[in-house]
Amino acid sequence: YCMYAIVGLVYGFFSNYINIPICQYVFGPLGHPGRASLQQCNISISITQMPWNFKVFYGFFLDRVSFFGSRRKGWIVFGWTSSLLIMSAMSFFAQTLADEGDFA
């Protein structure tokens, strides 16, 4: 249950307090030509929370298939590691996308 609490706190914190300031800093100023709009920043909340919404569907699969010899531990390590790698990759591409204005 601790994992649900941690993920819920992270999702809630990022979607409510961090999303718009980061979007404003990286892709702003908002609303200017060639820059991100407020709608594009708001849709990022929905995109980042999609895995949380589909957890019921892949939960059945994860409970049946073992990974690294464990029913859940392997999937948790795999999930957090892949999240870290994806977020690291996104941090490298964010400045390029902001400079080009090609993030619509």
Side-chain angles (χ1 to χ4, degrees):
Y1 297 112
C2 188
M3 289 294 284
Y4 283 111
I6 292 170
V7 171
L9 286 172
V10 169
Y11 276 158
F13 182 74
F14 275 99
S15 65
N16 290 326
Y17 300 109
I18 298 295
N19 183 42
I20 296 299
I22 287 178
C23 196
Q24 173 73 15
Y25 175 73
V26 174
F27 301 113
L30 298 178
H32 283 59
R35 303 311 251 169
S37 67
L38 186 59
Q39 293 82 9
Q40 288 170 325
C41 289
N42 286 337
I43 197 73
S44 67
I45 296 169
S46 299
I47 292 171
T48 56
Q49 291 181 349
M50 277 178 133
W52 185 264
N53 296 332
F54 292 124
K55 70 181 174 187
V56 170
F57 299 111
Y58 60 78
F60 291 122
F61 173 74
L62 298 181
D63 282 342
R64 294 287 178 197
V65 177
S66 65
F67 191 61
F68 288 132
S70 174
R71 203 170 61 155
R72 291 197 179 114
K73 190 187 295 184
W75 289 110
I76 291 171
V77 170
F78 173 73
W80 282 107
T81 304
S82 63
S83 296
L84 180 66
L85 292 174
I86 290 169
M87 289 178 71
S88 299
M90 285 174 36
S91 69
F92 287 114
F93 293 119
Q95 188 62 44
T96 304
L97 293 173
D99 291 341
E100 294 174 0
D102 187 23
F103 46 85

